Amino acid sequence: MTLPARSTAGGRPSGTMSRMTNLATPYRTHTCGALRALDADSPARLAGWVHRRRDHGHLIFFDLRDRYGLTQVVVDADRAPDAHAAASRARSEFVLEVSGDVALRLPGMENARLATGDVELHATEVRILSEALTPPFYINDPDAPVDEALRLKYRYLDIRRQPMAERLLLRSALVRAIRDVHHEHGFVEIETPNLIKSTPEGARDFIVPSRLQPGTVYALPQSPQQLKQLLMVAGIDRYFQIARCFRDEDLRGDRQPEFTQLDLEMSFVLEDTVMDFVETMVIEVSRRAAPDRPILRVPFPRYTYEEALGRFGSDKPDIRFGLELVDLASALGAPASSGFRVFDDVLAAGGRVMAVRAPGMGSLSRSGVDELTELARRHGAKGLAHVSVDADGGLHSPIGKFLGEETLRSVADAAGAEPGDLVLIVADSFDTTTDVLGRLRTEIGARRGLADPDVLAYCWVHRFPMYKWDAEYVRWDATHNPFSGPVPEDMPLLTTASGDLSVRTPEDPAGRARAQQYDVALNGWELGGGSVRIHHREELERSFLLQGHSLEAMHDKFGGMLEAFDYGAPPHGGIALGVDRWAALLAYQTNIREVMAFPKTQSGGDLMLDAPSAPDQEQWDELGLRFVGVKRD
Ligand code: ASP
């Protein structure tokens, strides 16, 4: 049979592929997702994997699959004996090339769930391109539970499965939207090297020994931070990169040793300039990559760090539901005694008594309350008080006998409690109280299903403290990025009480400085963070001295960048957003491994390629290295 050469041979491929995309190759005229009723009576050739096969002896049916879809193939022993012989040998996941004629399915036999469900291919020729072993898990059943280690070992088979393939396509759409939007806004995409000098982001470096300069190492970038700032000194003005970053950390939860950031930097900007652009970009990218997902609030709410903690108990609040924290000081009649010593003592010591409402949880059992108390204790609270409201509005609380009915009522009212609710109360320092109540708020939200899973709720948190005191090293650690600048009016605070920057104490004015640092959160996850930087050498040196670097250490670590600042650095700022996390949230996943093609395990291993592995002796020799064991303290 001769098949016509077709320039639009992809037919009508599914997904985002345009109709005109030519997906034809010598092995296929169409993809497995392309054929429609209009193609009936035309010849076609498909190539793909055997998805499901039903052998009725004389007639063999199978679905042929590629990433565009499935097409049913029918092989009739009378009509095509050779094709039938080949189809008889074929098993699941064999790779076949099938030529034949497109035919309408018999009335009633259409499959509305398949885009190609009106037609089938009547094979005239079946060619086995590759045989396949029986796969270690079902590829044709997207819901079959499969152990993750097995999925990672056979990731190429896992990616053949529809859910994983769809997530990678979504990720690709996300990255494409990111690129398009940045180009539309005048950004220049620049690749920075992966073999560099250490750029600290608070983690350990991965290092690569140099063969040409024995005894020296490169560091893999924890981020392109210094390089992008140098690009601003170079006059690039608006830079972005989809950058691979490497951080050698103990892997927890959804961390990976290498991950991808959308990294950007802009010149001649104030805090608002960067935040406004990033917000516009995030909205445009979301609408292109996930058009069905509503964005909760535009413009994104902006909370100062203090406000975010006070209202949501988190610096990455999930604002898809309310349940804001409530300060109980005035309901308790402070500064007069509330009658409950624990609360009075905390308030007298400058701490906070605050509450969160748990709607509809008023009848939580004793052990249910104990569980929440345990959660509170795990995060540093000394205890958890509660008030429950019964269906008639009656209040019940173990601390009622201390507070008295009237105060208990004011507490419940302040918390906005309604019949059937539970009010949870924590009394401690501001940090502990808000942190614990924030976690309880998240727990309540999850238990009560308060967060709409479809909604994208972006918000900003900014004005973080510049530093936090590090008692062990007697220094001020940058809370985020060591290059961040303070809000302009706090610049004079970048000093110590004594005026000598090498004599640091927890009482230093530096502890009160707020950074021009902004984080963007999405549905309770930190999506990214950035800052306006210090762009004057002397000010950066001051900040580094407060951070405990001696002048020599500073010049050794950041000499190149400090020198560059002597040659005219523009005011600049930027941000980095986690692409893995963004893709995961758009794909309704909580683990970034689900949107990474080849992620590592918790112990940093690649189960498929068996990495890391011992180098050859020759490699050791060339590098002048020898393994002498690991020193642990
Ligand atoms: N380099 C920072 C990070 O990786 C982001 C930034 O400040 O631009 O978190």
Side-chain angles (χ1 to χ4, degrees), residues 384-547:
L384 181 66
H386 68 275
V387 183
S388 50
V389 193
D390 62 30
D392 303 320
L395 301 180
H396 309 272
S397 172
I399 56 169
K401 55 181 178 289
F402 304 112
L403 295 181
E405 195 150 329
E406 207 178 309
T407 307
L408 196 63
R409 179 63 62 192
S410 342
V411 164
D413 288 349
E418 291 178 11
D421 287 354
L422 179 70
V423 176
L424 300 168
I425 306 169
V426 175
D428 217 301
S429 64
F430 176 77
D431 287 351
T432 303
T433 302
T434 53
D435 178 49
V436 170
L437 286 174
R439 290 171 194 277
L440 289 166
R441 175 180 177 272
T442 305
E443 175 71 20
I444 297 160
R447 287 196 193 184
R448 307 298 297 166
L450 299 178
D452 181 339
D454 290 325
V455 161
L456 300 175
Y458 294 101
C459 67
W460 286 105
V461 176
H462 67 150
R463 312 244 146 163
F464 285 80
M466 192 69 193
Y467 308 108
K468 62 177 176 302
W469 179 244
D470 182 335
E472 193 185 341
Y473 292 100
V474 196
R475 67 184 183 198
W476 289 101
D477 290 336
T479 56
H480 282 72
N481 189 313
F483 306 100
S484 296
V487 299
E489 61 268 32
D490 288 359
M491 188 54 100
L493 295 176
L494 297 205
T495 185
T496 58
S498 67
D500 178 347
L501 297 175
S502 60
V503 183
R504 297 170 293 263
T505 65
E507 283 73 42
D508 293 339
R512 300 199 306 275
R514 294 157 304 162
Q516 292 198 74
Q517 167 80 38
Y518 30 76
D519 279 7
V520 59
L522 169 56
N523 294 359
W525 296 69
E526 184 191 327
L527 185 60
S531 61
V532 171
R533 328 295 181 185
I534 296 178
H535 68 282
H536 287 126
R537 178 177 182 146
E538 322 73 64
E539 286 166 358
L540 190 56
E541 284 178 347
R542 281 185 89 72
S543 184
F544 282 157
L545 285 168
L546 287 166
Q547 293 173 49

Side-chain angles (χ1 to χ4, degrees), residues 40-241:
D41 303 324
S42 325
R45 182 186 297 141
L46 305 181
W49 287 261
V50 176
H51 187 66
R52 232 178 242 114
R53 186 174 158 282
R54 296 168 304 281
D55 192 338
H56 295 300
H58 209 66
L59 276 186
I60 295 173
F61 292 86
F62 57 85
D63 290 332
L64 202 63
R65 183 196 69 234
D66 61 15
R67 84 164 167 85
Y68 308 92
L70 293 175
T71 304
Q72 176 162 287
V73 177
V74 188
V75 198
D76 183 331
D78 288 340
R79 199 169 160 241
D82 291 348
H84 187 269
S88 307
R89 279 185 50 222
R91 295 288 175 268
S92 283
E93 301 309 314
F94 273 38
V95 185
L96 306 184
E97 178 194 303
V98 183
S99 305
D101 300 306
V102 183
L104 288 178
R105 294 198 194 185
L106 292 177
M109 303 301 279
E110 299 92 347
N111 182 349
R113 281 178 294 129
L114 278 188
T116 61
D118 288 337
V119 295
E120 55 197 16
L121 186 66
H122 290 172
T124 50
E125 205 184 320
V126 171
R127 206 149 69 90
I128 295 178
L129 301 177
S130 276
E131 302 195 357
L133 297 175
T134 304
F137 45 81
Y138 288 108
I139 288 172
N140 53 17
D141 180 357
D143 301 323
V146 186
D147 175 53
E148 201 190 1
L150 203 59
R151 288 177 57 203
L152 291 178
K153 182 163 166 52
Y154 296 97
R155 192 58 149 187
Y156 46 90
L157 297 180
D158 191 30
I159 296 173
R160 272 191 213 165
R161 298 164 82 217
Q162 195 188 354
M164 198 58 221
E166 273 174 8
R167 289 197 286 271
L168 292 184
L169 294 188
L170 173 66
R171 184 186 176 123
S172 165
L174 172 67
V175 171
R176 176 187 177 160
I178 289 173
R179 284 214 159 87
D180 289 348
V181 171
H182 280 82
H183 286 295
E184 286 160 26
H185 287 271
F187 280 74
V188 184
E189 181 169 7
I190 294 182
E191 291 166 82
T192 53
N194 278 343
L195 295 176
I196 60 162
K197 197 174 173 85
S198 177
T199 281
E201 292 281 354
R204 221 176 259 120
D205 287 325
F206 279 102
I207 60 167
V208 180
S210 160
R211 180 181 60 81
L212 294 177
Q213 299 185 35
T216 62
V217 296
Y218 300 97
L220 299 181
Q222 293 187 34
S223 84
Q225 184 66 37
Q226 292 192 64
L227 295 158
K228 69 172 169 177
Q229 291 195 238
L230 291 170
L231 286 171
M232 295 305 106
V233 182
I236 287 298
D237 194 68
R238 290 188 157 202
Y239 138 95
F240 86 102
Q241 179 179 198

Side-chain angles (χ1 to χ4, degrees), residues 6-24:
R6 300 175 72 165
S7 60
T8 57
R12 283 162 292 275
S14 59
T16 54
M17 198 69 60
S18 101
R19 280 200 60 165
M20 296 312 289
T21 310
N22 186 355
L23 298 166

